[in-house]
Amino acid sequence: MLKKAVVLLLSVLTVVSVSACSGNSAGKSENGKIKVSVTFNAMKEFVEAVGKDKIEVTTIIPDGTEPHDFEIKAKDMIGISSAEVLVYNGMGMETLVDNAVKSSGNKNLVVVEASKGVTPIENKDSNETKEHGQYDPHAWLSIKCAEIETKNIEAALAKADPANSDYYKKNSDDFVSQLESLYKDYATKFKSAGRKNFVTGHAAFVYLCRDFGLTQNSVEDVFAEGEPSAQSLKKLIDYCKNDGVKTVFVEEMVSPAVSNTLA
């Protein structure tokens, strides 16, 4: 705890020092674009779809880094202190946000929890709930939830830059229309699918399952932690055999070792 406190204090002092020396105020960049800080790449995709050429985006959590337990660094604090908008997913996905916002000293920062308004799905594992919170945070992987997140981002950009609110609304409407078209396309395909269950390396797709009436079974838990016991792996193998599962989907940030064993 003491070590973390010291690191946070040094981060704050660095932000204050650099901000004072640079003379840059929070808000627009030198080219007149709104400076937006986002937590990870999915939020960047949604923000860029809405803001397009009116914004300049910086991402706090690098690609290929697990967001759940990411610890913020001084350089990330500087980005937040000079931004006008901060976009994060929420639902316990990014534990760094509250302290980062307080420590940034950016009183004019528009902070948006993109998942606000999404009907959450509760974690079933009591240990996960104790450590990470009540809800599964992977809302952005649902097309329907992505539509909600897009609209929340639109509202945040319009608040920070009201002169261009119509521009953000048009872009948001266009993007939501694309998402809705994608949803309808897949809803039709999944309706006629003979098999609606699948296996992944990381249990991240429960909101997508809700969209289309699918069932996931996974090697690692919601927060990509731990490996299954020999007994759990046997159950997963039996599940695949009994349900005719022929594919195990693996993502870049999760070790494929157990998934390869399962396959």
Side-chain angles (χ1 to χ4, degrees):
M1 284 295 292
L2 179 58
K3 183 178 179 182
K4 288 186 176 180
V6 171
V7 170
L8 183 59
L9 177 59
L10 289 174
S11 297
V12 174
L13 292 175
T14 303
V15 170
V16 173
S17 176
V18 173
S19 297
C21 292
S22 65
N24 289 336
S25 59
K28 291 185 173 61
S29 61
E30 292 180 1
N31 57 16
K33 295 183 178 182
I34 295 293
K35 291 199 285 188
V36 183
S37 185
V38 301
T39 48
F40 58 97
N41 57 1
M43 298 299 101
K44 179 182 179 182
E45 182 177 347
F46 295 165
V47 167
E48 288 182 336
V50 178
K52 293 190 175 181
D53 61 352
K54 302 289 186 187
I55 62 170
E56 184 178 284
V57 184
T58 58
T59 306
I60 297 171
I61 303 172
D63 288 352
T65 303
E66 176 56 52
H68 297 294
D69 299 313
F70 178 80
E71 293 187 8
I72 197 162
K73 300 174 180 62
K75 64 181 178 63
D76 305 315
M77 297 287 292
I78 294 170
I80 295 173
S81 69
S82 63
E84 189 163 354
V85 180
L86 171 64
V87 178
Y88 71 106
N89 178 75
M91 290 186 175
M93 185 68 183
E94 312 98 322
T95 57
L96 59 92
V97 171
D98 288 344
N99 284 336
V101 171
K102 291 177 183 177
S103 301
S104 71
N106 188 347
K107 295 181 180 180
N108 296 319
L109 184 66
V110 176
V111 181
V112 56
E113 181 180 9
S115 64
K116 186 177 181 180
V118 169
T119 301
I121 296 175
E122 292 192 6
N123 287 324
K124 295 180 180 179
D125 189 312
S126 59
N127 291 327
E128 288 178 4
T129 300
K130 184 177 180 180
E131 184 173 356
H132 296 287
Q134 186 177 2
Y135 304 118
D136 186 310
H138 298 89
W140 74 92
L141 293 171
S142 150
I143 296 177
K144 283 296 186 182
C145 293
E147 293 177 7
I148 294 172
E149 297 208 358
T150 298
K151 283 298 177 182
N152 287 333
I153 289 167
E154 176 207 326
L157 293 179
K159 181 178 180 179
D161 183 22
N164 288 303
S165 59
D166 289 343
Y167 177 82
Y168 300 133
K169 184 179 188 309
K170 180 185 182 305
N171 293 340
S172 173
D173 288 346
D174 288 345
F175 188 57
V176 168
S177 179
Q178 293 175 42
L179 290 171
E180 189 61 21
S181 177
L182 189 66
Y183 172 81
K184 290 177 180 178
D185 184 25
Y186 275 98
T188 299
K189 292 175 180 177
F190 279 125
K191 187 175 182 180
S192 61
R195 187 179 297 115
K196 293 182 172 63
N197 54 338
F198 62 98
V199 172
T200 65
H202 173 198
F205 303 94
V206 66
Y207 290 92
L208 181 72
C209 290
R210 184 170 68 182
D211 279 353
F212 300 113
L214 308 177
T215 301
Q216 74 169 342
N217 206 326
S218 303
V219 172
E220 295 186 349
D221 64 21
V222 172
F223 296 92
E225 295 174 340
E227 294 183 356
S229 64
Q231 184 179 9
S232 297
L233 185 58
K234 184 183 183 303
K235 287 182 180 179
L236 199 52
I237 290 170
D238 292 341
Y239 175 86
C240 291
K241 289 179 177 179
N242 294 335
D243 289 272
V245 174
K246 304 294 184 183
T247 304
V248 180
F249 295 95
V250 184
E251 63 184 89
E252 289 182 354
M253 292 185 289
V254 176
S255 171
V258 180
S259 294
N260 287 334
T261 301
L262 175 63

